[in-house]
Amino acid sequence: MGRGRIGLYQQNLAAHICGMAVLDIALMGHTILSQLAGPVEDPTDPAIRALVADMMDTMAAAGGVGLAAPQVNRSLRLVVFEVPASRTADGVGLPLTALANPVIEPLDEATDDAYEACLSIPGLTGVVPRWRHIGYRGLGLDGKPVEREAKGFHARVVQHECDHLLGALYPMRMRNLSTLAFTEQLRRLAQEQEESR
Ligand code: NI
């Protein structure tokens, strides 16, 4: 029985009853988040499949759109992510994807700035530049190669998650740390502006 399931018993009985396994998320400051993750030797290993299922449960319970294995205390090149249709310009999302040993290459020099957040840095958000248009590849849980092109939010999520495998958190990619903010404070400011209109 993994650490996550023990944590689950203590913290998340409702999720347990539903058959979910919500793992503990490492927070910024944990050394595993600044390490280079190691390769997944066999993506079809049932232990990897079980880990991915737990990562998906953990991500859903935390309300995230992506999660990397080091965030649940496994130093492996393994990520899960999804692209909600509401976050794309064309309204076409991407279903939940698991990818082992992902590799990214920029297909264009252009970058975009946008706010990001991370489940390992709760409550904060900041403006991060990311490649606008990338190609990425890796292995699916069936062991078959996955190769895709991504733009916009999709490209951003993949870059954010793959950064976790390099030991990089989004503040390390920020150009202007003065945009680092508490989400709650930005919400209050937006509310005040709304009310003063
Ligand atoms: Ni993150």
CSV table of all heavy atoms in Angstrom, one decimal, residues 160-183:
chain,number,residue,atom,x,y,z
A,160,HIS,N,4.6,23.4,-19.2
A,160,HIS,CA,4.6,23.5,-17.8
A,160,HIS,C,4.9,22.2,-17.1
A,160,HIS,O,5.7,22.0,-16.3
A,160,HIS,CB,3.3,24.1,-17.3
A,160,HIS,CG,3.1,24.2,-15.8
A,160,HIS,ND1,3.0,25.4,-15.1
A,160,HIS,CD2,3.1,23.2,-14.9
A,160,HIS,CE1,2.9,25.1,-13.8
A,160,HIS,NE2,3.0,23.8,-13.6
A,161,GLU,N,4.2,21.1,-17.6
A,161,GLU,CA,4.3,19.8,-17.0
A,161,GLU,C,5.7,19.2,-17.3
A,161,GLU,O,6.3,18.6,-16.4
A,161,GLU,CB,3.2,18.8,-17.5
A,161,GLU,CG,1.8,19.2,-17.1
A,161,GLU,CD,1.7,19.7,-15.7
A,161,GLU,OE1,2.3,19.1,-14.8
A,161,GLU,OE2,0.9,20.6,-15.4
A,162,CYS,N,6.2,19.4,-18.5
A,162,CYS,CA,7.5,18.8,-18.8
A,162,CYS,C,8.6,19.6,-18.1
A,162,CYS,O,9.7,18.9,-17.8
A,162,CYS,CB,7.7,18.9,-20.4
A,162,CYS,SG,6.7,17.7,-21.2
A,163,ASP,N,8.4,20.8,-17.8
A,163,ASP,CA,9.4,21.5,-16.9
A,163,ASP,C,9.6,20.9,-15.6
A,163,ASP,O,10.7,20.9,-15.0
A,163,ASP,CB,8.9,23.0,-16.7
A,163,ASP,CG,9.7,24.0,-17.6
A,163,ASP,OD1,10.6,23.6,-18.3
A,163,ASP,OD2,9.4,25.2,-17.5
A,164,HIS,N,8.5,20.3,-15.0
A,164,HIS,CA,8.6,19.6,-13.7
A,164,HIS,C,9.6,18.4,-13.8
A,164,HIS,O,10.2,18.1,-12.8
A,164,HIS,CB,7.2,19.0,-13.3
A,164,HIS,CG,6.3,20.0,-12.7
A,164,HIS,ND1,6.6,20.6,-11.5
A,164,HIS,CD2,5.1,20.5,-13.1
A,164,HIS,CE1,5.6,21.4,-11.1
A,164,HIS,NE2,4.7,21.4,-12.1
A,165,LEU,N,9.7,17.8,-15.0
A,165,LEU,CA,10.7,16.7,-15.2
A,165,LEU,C,12.1,17.2,-15.2
A,165,LEU,O,13.0,16.4,-15.1
A,165,LEU,CB,10.3,15.9,-16.5
A,165,LEU,CG,8.8,15.6,-16.6
A,165,LEU,CD1,8.6,14.8,-17.9
A,165,LEU,CD2,8.3,14.8,-15.4
A,166,LEU,N,12.3,18.5,-15.5
A,166,LEU,CA,13.6,19.1,-15.5
A,166,LEU,C,14.0,19.7,-14.2
A,166,LEU,O,15.0,20.3,-14.0
A,166,LEU,CB,13.7,20.1,-16.6
A,166,LEU,CG,13.4,19.7,-18.0
A,166,LEU,CD1,13.3,20.8,-19.0
A,166,LEU,CD2,14.5,18.7,-18.5
A,167,GLY,N,13.0,19.6,-13.2
A,167,GLY,CA,13.3,20.3,-11.9
A,167,GLY,C,13.0,21.8,-11.9
A,167,GLY,O,13.5,22.5,-11.1
A,168,ALA,N,12.2,22.2,-12.9
A,168,ALA,CA,11.9,23.7,-13.0
A,168,ALA,C,10.4,23.9,-12.7
A,168,ALA,O,9.5,23.3,-13.2
A,168,ALA,CB,12.2,24.1,-14.4
A,169,LEU,N,10.2,24.9,-11.8
A,169,LEU,CA,8.9,25.4,-11.5
A,169,LEU,C,8.6,26.7,-12.2
A,169,LEU,O,9.6,27.4,-12.5
A,169,LEU,CB,8.7,25.6,-10.0
A,169,LEU,CG,8.9,24.3,-9.1
A,169,LEU,CD1,8.9,24.6,-7.6
A,169,LEU,CD2,7.8,23.3,-9.5
A,170,TYR,N,7.3,27.1,-12.4
A,170,TYR,CA,7.1,28.2,-13.3
A,170,TYR,C,7.7,29.5,-12.9
A,170,TYR,O,8.1,30.3,-13.7
A,170,TYR,CB,5.6,28.4,-13.6
A,170,TYR,CG,4.7,29.0,-12.5
A,170,TYR,CD1,4.7,30.4,-12.3
A,170,TYR,CD2,4.0,28.2,-11.7
A,170,TYR,CE1,4.0,30.9,-11.2
A,170,TYR,CE2,3.2,28.7,-10.6
A,170,TYR,CZ,3.2,30.1,-10.4
A,170,TYR,OH,2.5,30.6,-9.4
A,171,PRO,N,7.9,29.8,-11.6
A,171,PRO,CA,8.5,31.1,-11.2
A,171,PRO,C,9.9,31.2,-11.8
A,171,PRO,O,10.4,32.3,-12.1
A,171,PRO,CB,8.5,31.1,-9.7
A,171,PRO,CG,7.4,30.2,-9.3
A,171,PRO,CD,7.4,29.1,-10.4
A,172,MET,N,10.6,30.0,-12.0
A,172,MET,CA,11.9,30.0,-12.6
A,172,MET,C,11.9,30.5,-14.1
A,172,MET,O,13.0,30.8,-14.6
A,172,MET,CB,12.6,28.6,-12.5
A,172,MET,CG,12.8,28.2,-11.0
A,172,MET,SD,13.0,26.4,-10.8
A,172,MET,CE,14.6,26.2,-11.6
A,173,ARG,N,10.8,30.4,-14.7
A,173,ARG,CA,10.6,30.8,-16.1
A,173,ARG,C,10.1,32.2,-16.3
A,173,ARG,O,9.9,32.7,-17.4
A,173,ARG,CB,9.7,29.8,-16.8
A,173,ARG,CG,10.1,28.4,-16.8
A,173,ARG,CD,11.4,28.1,-17.5
A,173,ARG,NE,11.7,26.7,-17.7
A,173,ARG,CZ,12.9,26.2,-17.8
A,173,ARG,NH1,14.0,27.0,-17.7
A,173,ARG,NH2,13.1,24.9,-17.9
A,174,MET,N,9.7,32.9,-15.2
A,174,MET,CA,9.1,34.2,-15.3
A,174,MET,C,10.2,35.2,-15.6
A,174,MET,O,11.3,35.2,-15.2
A,174,MET,CB,8.4,34.6,-13.9
A,174,MET,CG,7.2,33.7,-13.7
A,174,MET,SD,6.5,34.1,-12.0
A,174,MET,CE,6.0,35.8,-12.2
A,175,ARG,N,9.8,36.2,-16.5
A,175,ARG,CA,10.7,37.3,-16.8
A,175,ARG,C,10.5,38.5,-15.8
A,175,ARG,O,11.4,39.2,-15.6
A,175,ARG,CB,10.4,37.8,-18.2
A,175,ARG,CG,10.8,36.9,-19.3
A,175,ARG,CD,10.9,37.7,-20.6
A,175,ARG,NE,11.1,36.8,-21.8
A,175,ARG,CZ,10.1,36.5,-22.6
A,175,ARG,NH1,8.9,37.1,-22.5
A,175,ARG,NH2,10.2,35.7,-23.6
A,176,ASN,N,9.3,38.6,-15.3
A,176,ASN,CA,9.0,39.7,-14.4
A,176,ASN,C,8.4,39.2,-13.1
A,176,ASN,O,7.2,38.9,-13.1
A,176,ASN,CB,8.1,40.7,-15.1
A,176,ASN,CG,7.8,41.9,-14.3
A,176,ASN,OD1,8.2,42.0,-13.2
A,176,ASN,ND2,7.1,42.8,-14.9
A,177,LEU,N,9.2,39.1,-12.1
A,177,LEU,CA,8.6,38.5,-10.8
A,177,LEU,C,7.6,39.4,-10.2
A,177,LEU,O,6.9,39.0,-9.3
A,177,LEU,CB,9.8,38.2,-9.9
A,177,LEU,CG,10.5,36.9,-10.1
A,177,LEU,CD1,11.7,36.8,-9.1
A,177,LEU,CD2,9.6,35.7,-9.8
A,178,SER,N,7.5,40.7,-10.6
A,178,SER,CA,6.5,41.5,-10.0
A,178,SER,C,5.1,41.1,-10.4
A,178,SER,O,4.1,41.6,-9.8
A,178,SER,CB,6.7,43.0,-10.4
A,178,SER,OG,6.4,43.2,-11.7
A,179,THR,N,4.9,40.2,-11.4
A,179,THR,CA,3.6,39.7,-11.7
A,179,THR,C,3.2,38.5,-10.8
A,179,THR,O,2.1,38.0,-10.9
A,179,THR,CB,3.5,39.3,-13.2
A,179,THR,OG1,4.3,38.1,-13.4
A,179,THR,CG2,3.9,40.4,-14.1
A,180,LEU,N,4.1,38.0,-10.0
A,180,LEU,CA,3.8,36.9,-9.1
A,180,LEU,C,2.8,37.5,-8.0
A,180,LEU,O,3.1,38.5,-7.4
A,180,LEU,CB,5.1,36.4,-8.4
A,180,LEU,CG,5.0,35.1,-7.6
A,180,LEU,CD1,4.5,33.9,-8.5
A,180,LEU,CD2,6.3,34.8,-6.9
A,181,ALA,N,1.7,36.8,-7.9
A,181,ALA,CA,0.6,37.3,-7.1
A,181,ALA,C,-0.2,36.2,-6.4
A,181,ALA,O,-0.2,35.1,-6.9
A,181,ALA,CB,-0.3,38.2,-7.9
A,182,PHE,N,-0.9,36.5,-5.4
A,182,PHE,CA,-1.9,35.6,-4.8
A,182,PHE,C,-3.2,35.7,-5.7
A,182,PHE,O,-3.7,36.8,-5.9
A,182,PHE,CB,-2.2,36.0,-3.3
A,182,PHE,CG,-1.1,35.5,-2.4
A,182,PHE,CD1,-0.2,36.4,-2.0
A,182,PHE,CD2,-1.0,34.2,-2.0
A,182,PHE,CE1,0.8,36.0,-1.1
A,182,PHE,CE2,0.0,33.8,-1.2
A,182,PHE,CZ,0.9,34.7,-0.7
A,183,THR,N,-3.6,34.5,-6.1
A,183,THR,CA,-4.9,34.5,-6.9
A,183,THR,C,-6.0,35.2,-6.2
A,183,THR,O,-6.8,35.9,-6.8
A,183,THR,CB,-5.2,33.0,-7.2
A,183,THR,OG1,-4.1,32.3,-7.6
A,183,THR,CG2,-6.3,32.9,-8.2
